Structure formats: C-alpha cells, structure tokens
Amino acid sequence: MKIFILGVILALQFIAGSSNSNVQEVFKWKKVDLEHVSLLENTYVGPYKYRIAENENIISMGYHPASGLMIVAFLRRRPGVPTTLGAFCASEYNFGSSPRIWRFPNYHVNDLRATDFTFLTDSEGRKQLNPLNTWENSYYNHIQRIQPYQNTFYNNVAGFGSGFPIEIQRIVSVFHITVDEKCNRVFFVDNGQVTYNENSTYVVQRPALVVVGLPTNGCHIRNFPILRRVEIPDRITSKGADGFMYTTIDYQPSGSCDDLFLYITNPFHNYLTVYDYKNNDFWSFEHETFNPIAAESHYVFDKTLNYQFNMGIFSVALGYPDENGDRTAYYTPLAGVGQYAVSTKILKDKSKSENYDNSLDFKIIGYRGCDHQSLKTAIDYTYGVMFYSEIQSNQVRCWNISKPLNPDNIGVVYQSEDFTFGSQLFIDSLGYLWFHSSQVPVVAKTDQPLDLDHVNSRIYRIRVADAIRGTVCADGERV
C-alpha cells in the first residue's frame, strides 16, 4: 500500500514544463547511516580503520518494485568502507530523506578481515592471493549452487546452506548491480579485490558472478538466498582480473529463468565477457571499438577537479529482439563519444569469440557530440528510446533509436549542477527511469575526504513518458 501511495504522490508532483520540473529527487545522503556495524569506527582491520565515514560513497543502485527493495553499492576504492552492498525498503522513507542502510544480502559476508591484507609474493615480487582465502577449483568446479539461508541465520552464522564453507559467500567489491524483475533476483560481479590509493591492491578472492534471490517479502524477512556463485575462469581473468562493471541480461525466446545470456563489461581492460547462464559457460570478446579514445579520456568534475579515466567499453543496452531472439547490442567506451553496435547473434556464438575475423560485425552508428561521454545506457521498449547518463555534461539525455544518431536527434531529459558523475541509470517495470549521482572522481582520483556537510549521493526518478515529453526523442516509430 505504501508503495502505491508513493507512486501516486510522485505522479501528482509531475507538472507540464521542463524535464527538470518532472524529475523527483527520491533519496539523498550526506553521511551514510549503516545498521549492524560490526566494529567500532576506531577499530582497525589489518592496517586500516574499520570505518571512515568520509570515504563512503554510493556508486550504484537498483530497485525491485515487487518487494520495494532498493539495493545500493559502495565504492571500495578507499579504506574504511565496511560494506560493498547495502539495501533498504524504499516505502519506509519519505522523498528527499536519507534512508538507513543495512548490509545486503546480510552483514556478515561484507566484512573485511585482517588476513585479507597479508600476502605472499612470487619470485618476481607480485602479490599473490593469501592462501588462507583460497580454495581448490576442483572442489567447487567453478560453480556453487548455495541453498537458501536457514531461518536462524541472524542468530547463528552456521545457518548458511549446508555443504559450503562460509568463505565462499563473502562479497568483497561490487561496482554495479542489475535487478532482474522477471525472475526476482539481482546479478552482480564481485571483483574479489580492493585497491586503495591507486597502488595498493589487496586480492581477497577470485572474481565471481553472484546471483541473489529477491523474495517479494524480502523487506520484511531480510532473508536473501544466494542462488548461484560462479568463479570467472582463468581464461577470462588472464585478460585482467579486476574492473568487472555492468551486467546486461539478455533473455532468450523460451522465457525460462535459466535461458539467458549475460554481457559483462570490463572497461579497465577493454573486453566484454559473455556468460551462458543455462550451460554455465564463459567466453569473451575483444575489439578495437571497445578501447578508449585517449583524447576523450580527460574530464572535469564539479568545475574544479581535472582527472582522467582512460577506460573502454562501459555498458551495453539491448534493442528489440528479431524473430530469432537476436538483438542489437549498443555500447560505447567511457573515454569516447561514439556509439557502436553489434548483433547479439555474434556475442552468443562462442566460436566467434576467439580467432575469428569479426572486425566488420562491430560498427559505429553515430556520435553524441563533444564532452558527452556516457557511463550507463538503457533502452525503453515502449517508446524505443535510449537514455544516457553522462559525466561531463551533468545531464541525462535521450535518443530515439529509430532515428540517425547525431547531436540534432539527442534530447535533454535532465540537467543540474547537483547531478554529478551519473554512475547508474535503468528503467523499471513500472515505467520509471531511475538515475544516480555520485562523487566517484573525488574518491577514486584524490585524497580529499568527502564533505559530510554536503550531499554526496542522490537517487532520482521520472516517468519515461514525462522524460521524453517535448523532446526530439518523443518523435518516431518503434523499431
């Protein structure tokens, strides 16, 4: 009932006029308030303080309308961040408030330990995974299907699913999450390592794809089963074992919850990983169009901070399926303003991932214009419109995919000086476009603490119909 009332209030607040007037600032935070903090803030874990509030910044979020659950991810690029994933029940808070966040899927799996910051080195002085935190690949065979938690979980840590040690359920560093409303779950990649101050990397465990169930009564019971955890194999991570960013879900025509492909970007190392969920198989693609453009890798944050992210392919948005269930996969490097595309027919074919002359399959389709680098894209299938979350222009923009892509055919949905480094954007099943503002450049590129007297993270939403009203994106036919 509260969720319904929330939607009605928001709808009444939408009025005709500029897109800015239709955008609702749903939640915002100066300093994050966490539930179930395991240790005192002045406690040390290894060489670092357990919690440093000035280092905590929400980098991403996702919403699950069926349960009312909002999931957020914290950037662990500095010490003192107790959790990488958190959640709260959106209907329990008023618009413009700062919800209290509890750790997701529970508070135990997010904790870092003193042993995570100790290493052995090989003969060349490279850091090796602490043997206390490893396990035999042959034992798990790269995939763990974990049973739902016992009802006594919060009273007894041993309540994890039987047959699996607690170690495998730890979650170390997640950049972004993808909520799957069709089958009530959330997908993300745990990079398994934290990097502090650009030059101190602590490898805790291997990167893994994790799938967590989202029961519709999850806000009430706070019990979220880990449905699948799959270590990303060496043949993939040998290209670069960190930097797994966004995950895009591609359901196949059968509609089965197991019949899907995932497209996982890695802008740190400029490759795209494909995961065949049904057959539990990984492969990857590399292509020159995934690479960053050096001349377009320099940015200005909040008018004062000059920084560089020389990163490649960042997110993938999928067009409409054809009669065979194949789609156009749209993508762009972060350091670049070109929009590229490839058919998912190519991406879903493992035989084309290695030693295949695929240069003609990946094509440029247009340019968004100078200083319009984009972090995240999403397509609304009702109106055939792609939305861009941009980091240079302080804008969310849109493009009707039935039109040629050029600056004249791109509209502005939202622009504000408060909208800084839009690190997440998605469309939910209720027809809302959500987007998020963060302080990532400050956290990742400076030693400057976050100013806890100012808002450091904001979550916005707007109905898609209102977002495109009066813009060039509203014209055109569905394709």
Side-chain angles (χ1 to χ4, degrees), residues 82-187:
T83 186
T84 187
L85 286 180
F88 61 91
C89 300
S91 63
E92 296 178 357
Y93 296 91
N94 296 325
F95 288 167
S97 64
S98 305
R100 195 177 190 201
I101 296 171
W102 32 272
R103 287 187 273 180
F104 177 88
N106 60 74
Y107 62 94
H108 295 289
V109 299
N110 280 276
D111 276 338
L112 294 176
R113 306 172 186 173
T115 53
D116 297 333
F117 300 100
T118 59
F119 295 95
L120 297 179
T121 58
D122 63 14
S123 60
E124 298 180 6
R126 294 174 298 194
K127 294 177 180 178
Q128 298 296 297
L129 193 66
N130 187 332
L132 294 176
N133 298 328
T134 61
W135 43 82
E136 295 291 335
N137 286 338
S138 58
Y139 180 82
Y140 295 105
N141 195 28
H142 287 304
I143 182 169
Q144 298 88 37
R145 292 184 179 273
I146 299 175
Q147 301 300 318
Y149 306 145
Q150 303 296 322
N151 292 332
T152 57
F153 174 77
Y154 285 103
N155 296 321
N156 179 8
V157 176
F160 279 96
S162 60
F164 296 95
I166 192 171
E167 295 293 336
I168 69 168
Q169 301 199 47
R170 297 181 65 199
I171 300 171
V172 177
S173 180
V174 177
F175 287 123
H176 294 283
I177 59 178
T178 300
V179 171
D180 173 15
E181 292 190 54
K182 174 181 170 64
C183 295
N184 296 315
R185 53 192 174 179
V186 59
F187 293 82

Side-chain angles (χ1 to χ4, degrees), residues 7 9-16 21-24 432 461-463 466 469:
I9 293 174
L10 179 59
L12 292 175
Q13 291 176 338
F14 288 154
I15 59 175
S21 68
N22 292 335
V23 171
Q24 174 69 43
Y432 285 103
R461 76 173 185 177
I462 181 175
R463 286 196 181 277
D466 294 297
R469 182 176 292 119

Side-chain angles (χ1 to χ4, degrees), residues 10 17 30 34 36 65 108 135 154 157 179 185 203 270 276 278 286 311 322 356 364 478:
L10 179 59
K30 295 179 180 179
L34 290 175
H36 300 302
H108 295 289
W135 43 82
Y154 285 103
V157 176
V179 171
R185 53 192 174 179
V203 180
N270 312 320
D276 180 345
K278 182 169 64 175
E286 296 176 89
M311 296 184 184
D322 63 17
Y356 170 70
I364 181 75
R478 167 178 164 161

Side-chain angles (χ1 to χ4, degrees), residues 172-228:
V172 177
S173 180
V174 177
F175 287 123
H176 294 283
I177 59 178
T178 300
V179 171
D180 173 15
E181 292 190 54
K182 174 181 170 64
C183 295
N184 296 315
R185 53 192 174 179
V186 59
F187 293 82
F188 56 86
V189 173
D190 173 18
N191 283 275
Q193 66 183 51
V194 291
T195 298
Y196 298 152
N197 305 318
E198 296 290 332
N199 55 7
S200 298
T201 297
Y202 301 92
V203 180
V204 178
Q205 57 193 23
R206 294 179 54 82
L209 171 71
V210 183
V211 187
V212 179
L214 299 178
T216 55
N217 63 345
C219 271
H220 173 67
I221 64 174
R222 296 195 189 183
N223 190 346
F224 304 97
I226 298 179
L227 304 176
R228 182 178 291 199

Side-chain angles (χ1 to χ4, degrees), residues 364-381:
I364 181 75
I365 62 171
Y367 295 91
R368 295 185 301 278
C370 183
D371 293 334
H372 287 290
Q373 294 92 337
S374 174
L375 274 169
K376 184 67 168 62
T377 58
I379 292 177
D380 175 80
Y381 299 114

Side-chain angles (χ1 to χ4, degrees), residues 306-324:
N306 292 278
Y307 67 102
Q308 182 182 26
F309 279 141
N310 195 30
M311 296 184 184
I313 181 171
F314 224 77
S315 73
V316 174
L318 301 179
Y320 294 101
D322 63 17
E323 62 277 9
N324 299 314

